[in-house]
Amino acid sequence: MGLEVSPHSGTAETADAQPAGMRRTWNDSPLLILAIGGALALAIALRFATQSDLWADEVLSVNIARLPLTRIPEALRHDGAPPLYYFLLHGWIRMFGYGPVSVRALSGVIGIGTFVPLWFAGRRLDERRIRLGAAIGGTRTIAWSALLLFALSPFAIRYSTETRMYALVMLGVVLGYLAMQRALERSTVGRLAVVSLITGLLLLTHYWAFPLLAVTLVAIVVRAVRARPESARAEWRVVGALIVGGLGFLPWLASFRFQLVHTGTPWGAPVSPFGSWATAFKSFGGNAHLAGWMLVVLVVAGLWARGVDARHIEIDLLTRPGVRWEAGLAIATLGLGLVMARVSGTTFE
């Protein structure tokens, strides 16, 4: 989920206003279009290419999902997870069977399904970039870059090939980002209802939704307090939508309280805060930690640097105004999640 930053007046600039030599964009090249198509085809294939046996947590997912629907909640009281993914996997198994390829394909489909909303999320950032007068490289640069980074990310590919709920979490977060943006632009009942729905579904997918939604809620309250009363109406309505969405967790609250007492992560000990941060950043490269650190460098560059032209960048020591909210939410969510894990004695992987 994310927040839209209002551009400064007087800085808007369209692609047509750029010099003639810059109007040809990076996505005009037929070879580049073919390369993008090939990369996406490879990314899709990799999400269904795993041939290994199911590992322990995947076996547990399948065993629970194969139970009758009425027995899944009771089984999860001893597992430590919310129920939404297991209900989806239950229906998937009934249609396609419970072989390793079949059960993993659900995460693959969900991972591929994230491509489209992620592209639209990137397009919104492109539009913001144009309004801020930084349309170097084309009008859909961020949309395609975000899509390709996600499609080929070892982190995203790994969790699109596991019979676990993490691919569903990624899809929910991207959809929540779009829903939040739309509700902040125009807080209609329908858009607010979508925010509430996605909030409730995220909470029922994975407990890491707690720090994400807590940080998002605080950020929107801060925006509302800082805004003029007549212009803060959308923010306060979104706050209400988040609270309403949180109420959807109430039917699961008793099971959650039982899990807090009786389940955990006995396979490992809590790690230090610094170790957790390093593990989190490296994990974006999957087993190839160098790729994870390279992605961190790209994030840092995107937060502090701006392309002046095709060969030059400039540094903003206060960070780029167009991405401050997204970066702040991401860092604060990870930090709060690690603190919660540390306080509760949960390990981190």
Side-chain angles (χ1 to χ4, degrees):
M1 292 187 174
L3 302 172
E4 185 77 26
V5 179
S6 300
H8 299 294
S9 60
T11 60
E13 180 179 343
T14 64
D16 292 337
Q18 296 181 31
M22 295 171 57
R23 288 177 187 168
R24 181 175 177 82
T25 62
W26 64 274
N27 52 352
D28 289 332
S29 168
L31 289 178
L32 188 54
I33 293 173
L34 288 175
I36 291 174
L40 292 177
L42 174 63
I44 292 172
L46 288 174
R47 282 163 168 77
F48 300 99
T50 178
Q51 298 296 320
S52 62
D53 295 330
L54 299 178
W55 70 288
D57 283 4
E58 290 182 291
V59 173
L60 185 62
S61 296
V62 174
N63 287 341
I64 292 175
R66 289 179 63 187
L67 296 171
L69 282 176
T70 55
R71 292 179 57 191
I72 290 178
E74 178 60 29
L76 288 175
R77 286 168 67 90
H78 304 281
D79 174 64
L84 179 61
Y85 173 77
Y86 297 87
F87 289 152
L88 292 177
L89 184 60
H90 175 89
W92 184 270
I93 288 174
R94 288 180 64 88
M95 290 189 293
F96 302 106
Y98 55 87
V101 175
S102 299
V103 295
R104 284 173 170 161
L106 174 59
S107 294
V109 170
I110 293 172
I112 294 170
T114 309
F115 287 8
V116 174
L118 188 67
W119 188 90
F120 279 102
R123 190 176 74 168
R124 282 182 164 270
L125 293 176
D126 274 314
E127 292 168 351
R128 181 191 304 175
R129 182 171 58 101
I130 293 171
R131 292 197 300 271
L132 291 172
I136 304 299
T139 58
R140 294 291 179 262
T141 305
I142 297 177
W144 287 110
S145 298
L147 174 57
L148 289 172
L149 281 171
F150 178 81
L152 297 175
S153 163
F155 181 90
I157 292 172
R158 171 186 172 178
Y159 291 112
S160 291
T161 61
E162 287 193 1
T163 312
R164 299 293 287 167
M165 70 291 294
Y166 305 113
L168 186 60
V169 174
M170 297 181 208
L171 175 59
V173 171
V174 178
L175 291 174
Y177 178 89
L178 290 172
M180 185 74 67
Q181 296 278 25
R182 286 170 54 81
L184 289 171
E185 290 170 354
R186 192 166 73 251
S187 54
T188 63
V189 173
R191 294 186 178 192
L192 293 171
V194 173
V195 172
S196 296
L197 176 63
I198 295 175
T199 297
L201 293 179
L202 275 171
L203 289 171
L204 292 173
T205 300
H206 199 281
Y207 295 136
W208 268 81
F210 281 114
L212 169 64
L213 295 169
V215 168
T216 302
L217 183 65
V218 170
I220 299 174
V221 169
V222 170
R223 277 176 50 114
V225 171
R226 292 173 58 184
R228 295 189 302 272
E230 63 273 13
S231 61
R233 185 176 304 172
E235 280 82 357
W236 288 118
R237 287 179 176 175
V238 169
V239 168
L242 287 171
I243 294 173
V244 170
L247 297 178
F249 188 77
L250 290 179
W252 187 250
L253 185 59
S255 296
F256 174 62
R257 294 175 62 182
F258 183 91
Q259 290 171 336
L260 286 176
V261 176
H262 297 284
T263 64
T265 49
W267 42 266
V271 293
S272 69
F274 292 108
S276 298
W277 278 98
T279 300
F281 288 133
K282 289 188 296 184
S283 70
F284 288 107
N287 293 326
H289 290 168
L290 177 61
W293 286 116
M294 289 174 63
L295 286 172
V296 172
V297 171
L298 289 176
V299 170
V300 171
L303 183 57
W304 274 279
R306 180 177 77 90
V308 179
D309 55 36
R311 294 188 301 157
H312 300 86
I313 64 173
E314 65 179 14
I315 303 298
D316 185 343
L317 295 179
L318 296 178
T319 72
R320 297 290 314 288
V323 293
R324 287 171 183 165
W325 282 108
E326 283 79 7
L329 287 172
I331 294 172
T333 297
L334 179 59
L336 178 59
L338 292 176
V339 169
M340 292 170 61
R342 183 70 176 179
V343 170
S344 63
T346 304
T347 193
F348 178 83
E349 193 244 344

